[in-house]
Amino acid sequence: MGLGGILFSLNGRIGRGGFWLGVLMSVLLSIVSMGLIFMLVPMDQMLVLDANGQPVLDALGNPQFDYGNPAMMPAFIIYGISGLLGLWWSIAYTVKRLHDRGKSGWWYLLMIVLSFILVGFIWWLVECGILEGNEGPNKYGPDPRAA
């Protein structure tokens, strides 16, 4: 299955290699998106600055972003588009990986809910990234290792 099939389709199965390729593509999308944002929006327009031009820090020492500044619009657009694309990609490659394990893609919803208590993330990592898929064809398609 090609990269487009891994990242866009919800049908079929992928092995662990295809799953990790999808994860890598999601990480690269995030890096490229952040790079574009930092290239298009100057840092002094992103942050709330005090009278001396220094960033205003919150209680934890992190700089505060000026979300009301119209110059931040390119950042919102890039972040929104890449966020939706990355979300779709993660759904697509996780569902296909669950199919390879003989499970419905709906299990991913439970993984997401349980991620709030860390159990879901560990389950996702083990189920999709470590365990082998079913040998031979299953109801979701042929064995990706046989192709």
Side-chain angles (χ1 to χ4, degrees):
M1 177 177 295
L3 185 59
I6 291 171
L7 296 176
F8 294 105
S9 169
L10 295 177
N11 298 321
R13 299 167 57 178
I14 58 170
R16 287 177 290 190
F19 170 79
W20 286 113
L21 179 61
V23 171
L24 175 64
M25 294 306 297
S26 293
V27 170
L28 290 175
L29 175 67
S30 296
I31 292 169
V32 168
S33 298
M34 293 308 294
L36 280 172
I37 289 170
F38 286 117
M39 285 174 35
L40 293 174
V41 183
M43 188 60 74
D44 64 337
Q45 293 183 8
M46 282 190 200
L47 302 176
V48 175
L49 303 176
D50 64 15
N52 298 323
Q54 297 299 313
V56 175
L57 305 179
D58 63 14
L60 298 175
N62 299 313
Q64 294 183 2
F65 285 90
D66 187 3
Y67 297 112
N69 187 340
M72 289 285 284
M73 190 54 67
F76 294 137
I77 292 169
I78 292 169
Y79 189 72
I81 291 170
S82 67
L84 290 173
L85 188 59
L87 175 65
W88 180 256
W89 287 359
S90 73
I91 292 169
Y93 61 72
T94 300
V95 165
K96 283 191 289 291
R97 185 65 186 123
L98 288 169
H99 287 173
D100 190 45
R101 301 266 309 128
K103 295 176 171 50
S104 166
W106 288 105
W107 281 101
Y108 189 35
L109 186 60
L110 182 58
M111 289 178 180
I112 291 170
V113 169
L114 292 177
S115 290
F116 292 107
I117 56 173
L118 193 62
V119 173
F121 172 75
I122 295 168
W123 179 18
W124 172 83
L125 183 64
V126 171
E127 183 79 33
C128 297
I130 297 173
L131 297 177
E132 287 188 16
N134 294 349
E135 277 193 41
N138 67 17
K139 68 181 183 177
Y140 299 105
D143 188 340
R145 293 172 291 195

